[in-house]
Amino acid sequence: MKPRICFFVTDTYIPYSPTILGLYRLLSPLFHIDIIMYYPNIKKFHEINIDIQFLSLKPKKFDLSFQIYKRLLRKNSKEKLSYNDYILVRELRESIKKKKYVFIIAVDIYALYIVQKSYDGPIHFISLELHYHTHMINKIDPTKISSILIQRRDRYEYLFPNYEIKNIFYVQNTTFYKDIQIDITKRDPYLLLHAGTGQDIFGIYAILNFIGKYENYKIYLKGSCFPCVKSDIVKLYTDALQTNRIVIDEKYESEEKVVDFISNYYIGLCFYDLSIEKANNFNYLTAPSGKLFKYIAAGVPVIGNNIPGLSIVEEFRLGVLIPNLSSSSIMSAVEKIKSNYEEYVSNCLSTAKKLSFDKLASNYIHFLQSNGMES
């Protein structure tokens, strides 16, 4: 019988998390995996073929156990658990107490915090996002972290500037490489793709401005689109919408099919609107977007911001990074890519092979396998 492990997830949207889906795929032959999740807006999870146990938090105003907890257990405690934290710790502890997990993997800071309060066995930490619950990092005990998987060294030092966890694994949220046949002559050189959430912080309005200015270009918006953005498109870009120069497609594509879908497009856009405060932060500046690696795997050259997290684009000549999101900057990048398109496509495919998720995560998988056998 395979050892049993658990992923505990709070802030991560699993259907769009290549790292979690990739690890699940690689670890499934080795372990029986439970995924326990707390997420306040539960939807779209039917779109992935993974069983997930959701913790149901139904706070009761006069919860007797919480009143006892406050009076007795917190009497000499320096740290004060919030009501929801207490309920979540209690529910997770109840959920896992009958399971003989060899270890638990906590995804992001809040999940790690709850697991450290609920579980005494080995805890492995995966850090994907740094813009949720970062204020809670001072409540984390790093000595009780068996390993950490994170994208970059600067992101590790952001979390733990004064502590070196023994087992650190740097793994990007890439996709699994597969050999695909691409006929670039069938790609429309005026058809651009944005694969990801359509919202202001991801440069959607810069993209629309570009389409408005250069009327021979088209944009395919693949992914969930914020209602306010859709409303603005209907109001301000009616003609482009009616003539299919702007296409909104919110249908979910599985990790297995999305690369084939993307391979039909000429250039992929990966933007962060740094003029918006909630986009101009350490998390977005240093974290390569999942769509970036999907573009690369599909052999689709990329246009992105000139920020540290996207530096791989220039390092491997996968496309062009631009200093701002003006329409003229985007157009200049398009023309540069067109001038040497075959080389950019070739670079994308060769880089995708080098950065295939199974290769990047192999040491981590072996480590977890060894850890599971020893427990």
Side-chain angles (χ1 to χ4, degrees), residues 87-350:
I87 297 292
L88 194 52
V89 167
R90 186 182 67 181
E91 293 300 310
L92 179 60
R93 186 179 292 140
E94 181 68 23
S95 178
I96 67 178
K97 73 178 183 179
K98 295 181 181 179
K99 306 288 182 64
K100 295 181 179 179
Y101 292 127
V102 293
F103 56 77
I104 291 181
I105 298 174
V107 181
D108 284 327
I109 296 171
Y110 186 51
L112 177 62
Y113 173 72
I114 297 299
V115 172
Q116 286 197 342
K117 296 293 181 185
S118 312
Y119 176 70
D120 295 326
I123 300 170
H124 301 277
F125 176 38
I126 297 176
S127 175
L128 300 178
E129 302 288 345
L130 295 182
H131 59 135
Y132 297 125
H133 303 292
T134 51
H135 65 283
M136 300 185 73
I137 194 64
N138 62 344
K139 297 181 179 180
I140 299 299
D141 183 352
T143 67
K144 295 182 179 180
I145 300 174
S146 298
S147 74
I148 178 172
L149 183 146
I150 195 166
Q151 295 103 330
R152 296 161 51 109
R153 180 67 191 183
D154 53 357
R155 291 170 71 85
Y156 174 86
E157 292 176 348
Y158 180 85
L159 288 177
F160 303 109
N162 301 311
Y163 187 83
E164 191 76 4
I165 293 172
K166 182 178 179 181
N167 301 295
I168 306 175
F169 299 88
Y170 300 107
V171 178
Q172 299 285 10
N173 53 336
T174 63
T175 189
F176 288 80
Y177 174 79
K178 65 177 181 178
D179 190 13
I180 58 175
Q181 300 301 313
I182 299 174
D183 184 353
I184 62 175
T185 64
K186 293 183 178 180
R187 290 180 175 176
D188 182 347
Y190 295 94
L191 180 56
L192 311 181
L193 173 68
H194 180 265
T197 305
Q199 76 179 101
D200 56 355
I201 63 173
F202 298 132
I204 189 66
Y205 289 105
I207 295 170
L208 295 174
N209 289 339
F210 175 83
I211 296 300
K213 183 173 181 179
Y214 297 99
E215 296 185 355
N216 52 336
Y217 281 87
K218 296 163 283 187
I219 184 69
Y220 199 96
L221 304 176
K222 180 63 172 178
S224 59
C225 193
F226 273 31
C228 58
V229 173
K230 286 192 284 188
S231 177
D232 286 341
I233 291 174
V234 170
K235 291 177 184 177
L236 304 175
Y237 298 91
T238 306
D239 291 342
L241 194 60
Q242 292 177 346
T243 58
N244 289 329
R245 289 185 52 242
I246 298 175
V247 175
I248 302 173
D249 178 1
E250 296 186 276
K251 179 184 176 184
Y252 176 75
E253 297 288 343
S254 69
E255 283 291 305
E256 293 75 22
K257 296 179 180 178
V258 70
V259 171
D260 289 327
F261 175 87
I262 291 173
S263 68
N264 295 302
Y265 295 86
Y266 194 77
I267 290 174
L269 306 180
C270 186
F271 294 155
Y272 299 95
D273 190 341
L274 303 182
S275 68
I276 300 174
E277 185 177 357
K278 61 183 177 180
N280 194 355
N281 59 53
F282 185 82
N283 178 63
Y284 287 129
L285 290 173
T286 60
S289 170
K291 60 176 162 285
L292 166 67
F293 292 112
K294 289 181 174 61
Y295 293 152
I296 295 169
V300 174
V302 182
I303 301 175
N305 303 67
N306 189 7
I307 57 175
L310 302 183
S311 60
I312 186 177
V313 173
E314 286 194 340
E315 181 181 354
F316 294 99
R317 285 184 53 80
L318 309 173
V320 178
L321 299 182
I322 55 180
N324 57 65
L325 299 186
S326 68
S327 295
S328 58
S329 291
I330 297 173
M331 189 67 231
S332 176
V334 169
E335 291 175 340
K336 185 174 181 180
I337 290 173
K338 281 186 175 183
S339 68
N340 206 359
Y341 191 72
E342 290 187 22
E343 180 185 343
Y344 283 114
V345 172
S346 177
N347 290 344
C348 285
L349 294 174
S350 61

Side-chain angles (χ1 to χ4, degrees), residues 5-70:
I5 66 172
C6 172
F7 280 78
F8 181 61
V9 187
T10 52
D11 293 318
T12 302
Y13 203 50
I14 291 179
Y16 299 100
S17 176
T19 297
I20 294 180
L21 295 176
L23 291 175
Y24 186 91
R25 173 176 165 180
L26 294 174
L27 290 170
S28 291
L30 306 173
F31 298 98
H32 179 94
I33 302 174
D34 293 338
I35 293 184
I36 301 176
M37 186 167 189
Y38 163 64
Y39 196 86
N41 300 310
I42 300 170
K43 54 185 177 180
K44 287 189 179 292
F45 290 99
H46 63 281
E47 296 171 336
I48 56 175
N49 189 27
I50 296 177
D51 291 329
I52 300 174
Q53 175 189 342
F54 291 96
L55 296 185
S56 177
L57 304 187
K58 297 178 180 178
K60 299 174 183 178
K61 189 172 183 180
F62 300 105
D63 187 329
L64 181 60
S65 66
F66 185 62
Q67 300 304 319
I68 295 173
Y69 172 82
K70 284 196 300 183

